[in-house]
Amino acid sequence: MTENTQQSPRNGGPNSIPAQLPTQYAPAEVEGPLYERWVERGYFEAEATSEKPPYTIVIPPPNVTGSLHLGHAFQHTLMDALTRRKRMQGYESLWLPGMDHAGIATQNKVEQQLAEEGKSRHDLGREEFVERVWKWKQEYGGKILGQMRRLGDGVDWSRERFTMDEGLSKAVQTIFKRLYDDELIYRAERIINWCPRCLTAISDIEVEYQDDDGELVSITYGEGEDTLVVATTRAETMLGDTAVAVHPDDERYAHLIGKRIKLPLTDRTIPVVADTHVDPEFGTGAVKVTPAHDPNDFAIGQRHDLESMTVMDERGVITVHGPFEGLDRFEARSAIVAALREQGRIVAEKRPYVHSVGHCSRCKTTVEPRLSMQWWVKVGPLAQAAGDAVRDGRVKIHPEDMSKRYFDWVDNMHDWCISRQLWWGHRIPVWYGPDGEIVCVGPDEEPPGTEAEGWTQESDVLDTWFSSGLWPFSTLGWPEKTPDLAKFYPTDVLLTGHDIIFFWVARMMMFGLYAMDGRAPFHTIALTGLVRDEHGKKMSKSNPNSVDPLDWMDAYGADAVRFTLARGANPGADVPIGEDWVQASRNFANKIWNATRFALMNGATLEGELPPAEELSATDRWILSRLNTVVAQVDAYYDDYQFAKLSDALYHFAWDEVFDWYVELSKTTFMAGGPAADASRRVLGEVLDVTLRLLHPIVPFVTETLWTTLTGRESLVIAEWPADSGFRDAAAEREIETVQQVVTEVRRFRSDQGLQPGQKVPARLDLAGTQLAAHEAAMRSLLRLQPAGEEFTATASLPVAGATVALDLSGAIDVEAERKRLSKDLAAAEKEKAQANAKLGNEAFLGKAPEHVVAKIRTRLETAEADIERISAQLAALPKA
RNA sequence: GGGCGCAUAGCUCAGCGGUAGAGCGCUGCUCUUACAAAGCAGAUGUCACAGGUUCAAAUCCUGUUGUGCCCACCA
């Protein structure tokens, strides 16, 4: 990285460009080349050997199949702002990019492609298919990486990682082996969530529940005296029933407990068992038990040693010999109900019944609970540690109330089903021997035997979240002891959406603490909300409200999109965004552009020391005082992840104070010339320099373009973050406030009297008794007031804040309108005064209110009294009609 | 069924114990020599409802209504 002192070769030095700057900012022209320059110069590359303290963020790896949506743009903007600021603050700042192989999602994508060629993955075979997926990745994957460049993401491309990379795969195998040896990974037959379309098991959190309309049918089981009625929404599973359960204390069925009854449509009899799980109040109080196809029933089966009968294959097709064999589960449902009805076994006709049904989060297919042999992570001890790290404050969740959700899950976590019946992913490193041996193979070990000898490797792959759980350290080289790992682990902040607390955050916590000797992978978890449209509606790909951020970036620039998102980023809250708002941000960028243009045209400079306060005008001291206040504010907001507030503070400081007041007030100074003008040029340069630095992490492109032009230096990316100099000048702030008050009041009068903004009016300013003498020229300029000539006759007189502005409108003013207006204001001020007086006359208030509140009320009273005096004087000064 | 959150200007949201704020939108006047993607001026709210605590409540407590999200093995 070069010293940030050389002059930019492009523009040949400071301040030479103003004439070349067009009147409008054109983001499309500068953003692309600027980004490439940053990358070429290696600004985003972090050095493990650096002496600087590290600051690390790993990117939540987007799916290789993904493209940039507003949610990414949002989170990336915040992460980019954090890492850019830290870099400016002198940290060795690393934002590590990469992608997730996204097992099911990617496999689905490629299978889809194959389907278009009329093939299935089985036509290719496993090896060829996996090769095909890699090829797909090469060609179509990672589209999002290019889009990240467009956004301006300052990531270290030299450290880009992919969860299926060799190194990361080794990390996966290493931790699998370690967990296996620690007996934290095991294999067991359980009821799992099965997706009959993806043909794989999925974990509990990959199931999305939604209320579906179903039908509850009541069926008579048994014969003769020994009958009871059960209700079900999944009639097809009755073929696999191996019991009926009732509550042990339920007298209605006491005589049946222990007996066997006939299962309709089959030649089987099944026992009636007593189990406290059954709620006697619900339905008939009798439950059909299908251990192989329902998690509850499986548990009952375990307790009563029932047989588990699988009646469907992996596609959800009935496998039981007989009339229903070969039917899809939903066809079978109707067919079975029809058959039961024929036998007169349907007691109550189908009743509409809304109940919660699980769907595959990938393809929305209704999940089929299924008994199956799978691999599991025993989460107990891992989750305990993950919970404790937050409980004891080593890791902070921001905003804090999100931690409840974290604890709820971590403290009640079920074992995690990690095996997937897919081909794309990390293959489970376990080998099965000819004599039933099971051997887990570590990363540097050979398989225990060859296929010829009867050994086979487990065909399942791991849940994609297994590898992303290792992300904060696998990306840094773990399990090797690399310099990167030593320098950049633990990372600092994890910034991500609250929707993946369970999927990803909790798992990184578990694995990080486990693999890295109890060192949590980050000290702060900053959770963001979801991006929504301008009416707060959820954006989804299927909705017409879905927006491609690339379109907005093309139209308004990346900075505009970034600023809009940052400005909407209230901690943990959802972020609404609409095109109008992006436009407004574009306008802001343009405003900064033009203000800088103005500054350059007027010779704003950074050369030489900032003059000492005593050599500066009140206007200059005021803006410097405000500037430093804002620096401190912005720092505080950054440290609290208050992006909306810091963006807003900068927006208002820049636009309202610097551009609308300071720049306008300076115009007079510049025109007058002399040492005062020179000082102001230096101050304006300073104010813009610092403001651009402060804005840079959020709107990097426009600030970089302007700053390099202003300063002639190489880049703002590697410039220093501003520090609060501590300079404050309360007197100057008060003085300028008074100027603003006078100006605003006279403008109001002019506007109310229907004077055109540009119309010059002769005026006499009486500033005796105020500090405003120095500002007379500026005020006259802002207010379009001419010197009073010989003929001057005051037709209106406006006393305000101790000053009096007498105007010659050379004609009658609208006295009535003005009187009406002033009377209204007067009434308001008097009411205010009365209220303040009432408070100050209240002993209870005086006795209990804190001093600063009482002081505030006193000030309020004084202000009201001053207003009354001012307005009364103005009324008195009105010419008689 | 449990948990959490939210109800403030036309819209989207800040504020969370001491006189109601922002952006966009709206009204009027302006091409005032950086910017019309602009400038200036202006209008706009019984802070969901009902109780309570307090000298003081949009802000704290209780309840009601509406709304959103998360969790759960609702046959």
Side-chain angles (χ1 to χ4, degrees):
Chain A
M1 210 176 277
T2 16
E3 284 291 304
N4 195 11
T5 48
Q6 74 181 55
Q7 295 198 337
S8 169
R10 202 177 107 259
N11 57 44
N15 303 352
S16 66
I17 257 233
Q20 294 166 26
L21 285 184
T23 60
Q24 282 192 359
Y25 171 50
E29 288 166 27
V30 303
E31 291 179 348
L34 217 45
Y35 187 82
E36 292 314 316
R37 199 174 315 150
W38 289 336
V39 173
E40 275 164 30
R41 291 179 181 171
Y43 292 159
F44 305 137
E45 284 175 33
E47 303 290 341
T49 52
S50 164
E51 297 287 307
K52 298 175 183 174
Y55 184 81
T56 316
I57 293 183
V58 289
I59 211 162
N63 290 356
V64 298
T65 56
S67 56
L68 188 89
H69 57 67
L70 275 169
H72 294 120
F74 172 50
Q75 291 172 12
H76 288 202
T77 296
L78 305 190
M79 282 184 270
D80 199 28
L82 289 176
T83 47
R84 280 177 184 269
R85 168 169 173 262
K86 285 291 176 181
R87 185 175 297 113
M88 292 174 78
Q89 282 185 323
Y91 285 78
E92 194 61 29
S93 196
L94 168 62
W95 186 19
L96 191 148
M99 287 187 296
D100 193 281
H101 67 282
I104 301 184
T106 312
Q107 175 157 334
N108 282 351
K109 203 111 190 171
V110 177
E111 285 194 279
Q112 220 167 23
Q113 207 183 42
L114 283 175
E116 281 163 24
E117 301 166 17
K119 289 190 219 158
S120 86
R121 67 179 151 120
H122 299 282
D123 295 330
L124 303 190
R126 182 167 189 149
E127 212 168 300
E128 203 181 317
F129 178 78
V130 168
E131 231 166 79
R132 174 80 182 234
V133 180
W134 277 107
K135 213 179 113 202
W136 180 92
K137 186 210 170 220
Q138 207 74 22
E139 264 178 72
Y140 306 102
K143 185 175 157 195
I144 192 169
L145 299 177
Q147 298 171 324
M148 284 164 59
R149 293 170 175 264
R150 183 79 187 75
L151 227 205
D153 285 358
V155 294
D156 183 348
W157 292 111
S158 74
R159 284 183 168 81
E160 185 193 332
R161 297 287 184 268
F162 181 53
T163 49
M164 288 282 282
D165 280 351
E166 203 178 315
L168 276 71
S169 299
K170 188 174 175 187
V172 166
Q173 198 175 350
T174 305
I175 198 156
F176 188 99
K177 169 81 172 154
R178 198 183 284 183
L179 287 163
Y180 183 86
D181 290 345
D182 283 349
E183 292 176 2
L184 291 170
I185 281 184
Y186 63 94
R187 191 173 182 239
E189 190 172 44
R190 297 248 180 99
I191 294 277
I192 44 86
N193 306 289
W194 181 267
C195 175
R197 202 216 64 83
C198 301
L199 299 178
T200 178
I202 55 181
S203 67
D204 291 349
I205 50 177
E206 285 169 293
V207 179
E208 288 171 359
Y209 287 90
Q210 68 184 59
D211 282 344
D212 284 358
D213 294 325
E215 284 167 342
L216 193 66
V217 291
S218 300
I219 308 168
T220 309
Y221 277 24
E223 305 265 81
E225 295 286 297
D226 297 342
T227 63
L228 43 65
V229 175
V230 300
T232 183
T233 52
R234 290 161 69 211
E236 70 280 10
T237 62
M238 67 154 296
L239 298 174
D241 285 1
T242 53
V244 170
V246 298
H247 195 273
D249 301 336
D250 196 331
E251 291 172 5
R252 291 171 294 178
Y253 304 115
H255 65 290
L256 289 174
I257 294 173
K259 285 194 178 166
R260 296 187 77 89
I261 60 171
K262 171 89 169 48
L263 180 65
L265 303 181
T266 69
D267 47 16
R268 293 192 289 125
T269 61
I270 53 175
V272 177
V273 299
D275 195 289
T276 49
H277 164 78
V278 179
D279 176 6
E281 305 291 314
F282 189 96
T284 58
V287 186
K288 62 191 273 309
V289 181
T290 324
H293 291 280
D294 184 276
N296 285 321
D297 295 3
F298 182 74
I300 295 176
Q302 297 269 292
R303 288 196 283 273
H304 300 276
D305 203 20
L306 299 174
E307 194 191 334
S308 293
M309 242 186 97
T310 298
V311 299
M312 272 177 254
D313 68 8
E314 60 276 10
R315 291 172 195 276
V317 172
I318 302 294
T319 53
V320 179
H321 289 302
F324 309 109
E325 187 175 5
L327 290 182
D328 168 78
R329 53 190 165 147
F330 299 116
E331 295 166 357
R333 185 173 299 171
S334 346
I336 285 173
V337 171
L340 287 166
R341 185 180 302 119
E342 226 166 82
Q343 295 188 6
R345 285 189 178 268
I346 300 294
V347 181
E349 244 334 297
K350 302 177 193 169
R351 196 172 101 229
Y353 185 71
V354 177
H355 62 144
S356 181
V357 177
H359 298 262
C360 171
S361 62
R362 280 290 155 210
C363 69
K364 310 303 168 199
T365 303
T366 301
V367 161
E368 194 63 41
R370 190 159 191 271
L371 186 63
S372 166
M373 183 66 87
Q374 301 288 344
W375 286 92
W376 303 82
V377 170
K378 183 177 168 189
V379 296
L382 300 169
Q384 175 74 38
D388 289 346
V390 176
R391 257 185 290 272
D392 65 24
R394 277 177 291 151
V395 176
K396 294 205 163 37
I397 294 183
H398 183 93
E400 213 195 324
D401 38 294
M402 281 288 176
S403 51
K404 280 180 204 133
R405 216 183 263 192
Y406 175 82
F407 290 134
D408 278 351
W409 198 67
V410 156
D411 295 341
N412 301 296
M413 203 169 169
H414 294 163
D415 280 359
W416 172 18
C417 176
I418 50 170
S419 44
R420 297 289 179 277
Q421 289 63 53
L422 303 171
W423 287 352
W424 176 241
H426 300 99
R427 193 155 171 183
I428 292 180
V430 167
W431 291 72
Y432 302 108
D435 301 313
E437 302 97 321
I438 297 180
V439 177
C440 180
V441 176
D444 300 314
E445 297 167 12
E446 290 300 315
T450 63
E451 284 193 26
E453 294 164 357
W455 287 84
T456 51
Q457 186 177 357
E458 168 64 62
S459 60
D460 289 355
V461 301
L462 289 163
D463 181 3
T464 197
W465 296 101
F466 190 92
S467 53
S468 32
L470 313 176
W471 190 250
F473 48 96
S474 65
T475 51
L476 295 171
W478 190 89
E480 312 304 330
K481 289 193 162 70
T482 62
D484 269 12
L485 194 62
K487 178 81 180 174
F488 299 110
Y489 190 94
T491 72
D492 287 89
V493 180
L494 178 83
L495 191 147
T496 193
H498 62 64
D499 54 331
I500 56 173
I501 298 179
F502 309 142
F503 281 104
W504 193 45
V505 180
R507 273 131 186 203
M508 280 191 289
M509 288 290 289
M510 296 195 303
F511 283 165
L513 290 162
Y514 174 76
M516 299 299 293
D517 308 313
R519 292 157 71 213
F522 23 72
H523 58 67
T524 299
I525 299 168
L527 294 167
T528 69
L530 277 23
V531 177
R532 293 170 176 274
D533 73 8
E534 66 266 43
H535 295 294
K537 292 254 175 347
K538 212 170 181 169
M539 280 200 192
S540 65
K541 282 169 209 150
S542 48
N543 265 9
N545 68 356
S546 177
V547 171
D548 186 346
L550 275 298
D551 291 344
W552 280 351
M553 284 194 258
D554 288 343
Y556 307 110
D559 284 338
V561 174
R562 294 172 60 117
F563 191 75
T564 309
L565 290 165
R567 205 176 181 192
N570 286 302
D574 288 345
V575 184
I577 185 170
E579 187 162 1
D580 285 356
W581 309 347
V582 181
Q583 258 172 41
S585 299
R586 182 268 318 261
N587 295 354
F588 179 51
N590 194 53
K591 186 74 185 178
I592 306 169
W593 178 269
N594 274 296
T596 308
R597 252 183 96 224
F598 167 84
L600 291 168
M601 288 166 102
N602 284 280
T605 180
L606 282 159
E607 274 167 42
E609 291 293 302
L610 201 58
E614 54 273 22
E615 288 173 26
L616 293 174
S617 70
T619 310
D620 288 340
R621 280 179 281 125
W622 157 70
I623 200 66
L624 288 175
S625 177
R626 288 291 306 135
L627 179 71
N628 281 290
T629 306
V630 169
V631 169
Q633 248 175 21
V634 167
D635 272 330
Y637 285 144
Y638 259 112
D639 292 337
D640 199 27
Y641 307 98
Q642 297 277 6
F643 294 96
K645 295 210 168 60
L646 74 91
S647 305
D648 203 56
L650 283 168
Y651 178 94
H652 285 291
F653 173 69
W655 202 320
D656 300 351
E657 301 193 71
V658 180
F659 304 156
D660 283 347
W661 281 105
Y662 181 69
V663 163
E664 292 304 323
L665 288 167
S666 313
K667 283 180 179 173
T668 312
T669 316
F670 290 144
M671 275 191 286
D678 290 339
S680 276
R681 276 189 254 278
R682 181 64 187 82
V683 172
L684 180 56
E686 181 76 12
V687 170
L688 270 179
D689 173 32
V690 172
T691 305
L692 290 172
R693 287 175 199 249
L694 291 173
L695 281 164
H696 182 256
I698 297 178
V699 284
F701 293 109
V702 68
T703 49
E704 170 80 335
T705 307
L706 294 172
W707 191 82
T708 49
T709 307
L710 177 73
T711 64
R713 293 196 183 171
E714 183 189 313
S715 176
L716 189 44
V717 177
I718 50 169
E720 261 179 55
W721 183 251
D724 174 9
S725 71
F727 178 76
R728 298 290 189 282
D729 191 331
E733 290 193 23
R734 270 198 305 278
E735 192 171 318
I736 299 303
E737 262 168 47
T738 311
V739 171
Q740 293 173 336
Q741 226 178 317
V742 174
V743 169
T744 304
E745 179 61 14
V746 176
R747 277 175 176 166
R748 189 231 96 212
F749 177 80
R750 289 184 53 126
S751 180
D752 281 359
Q753 288 298 321
L755 293 181
Q756 298 196 334
Q759 189 180 332
K760 300 241 174 19
V761 176
R764 186 174 289 149
L765 270 57
D766 177 6
L767 302 177
T770 70
Q771 305 274 70
L772 305 185
H775 302 286
E776 174 162 354
M779 289 196 289
R780 279 185 178 277
S781 163
L782 290 177
L783 291 167
R784 315 281 145 189
L785 301 179
Q786 290 176 322
E790 306 254 322
E791 302 285 297
F792 184 85
T793 14
T795 49
S797 184
L798 289 172
V800 37
T804 302
V805 180
L807 301 162
D808 181 359
L809 300 187
S810 52
I813 66 162
D814 187 343
V815 179
E816 267 325 296
E818 185 66 0
R819 191 188 306 281
K820 213 168 148 189
R821 164 69 176 246
L822 290 172
S823 303
K824 199 177 132 203
D825 289 356
L826 186 63
E830 269 167 352
K831 187 176 165 199
E832 179 64 29
K833 179 182 171 184
Q835 278 174 355
N837 267 328
K839 278 237 160 187
L840 292 169
N842 183 337
E843 275 176 42
F845 168 74
L846 290 176
K848 298 199 176 176
E851 189 44 48
H852 73 274
V853 173
V854 178
K856 210 164 177 177
I857 304 288
R858 289 218 178 84
T859 314
R860 207 195 298 168
L861 178 64
E862 284 164 22
T863 310
E865 282 171 340
D867 282 348
I868 289 167
E869 194 182 330
R870 189 197 88 227
I871 298 166
S872 307
Q874 287 182 12
L875 276 168
L878 280 179
K880 302 280 178 280

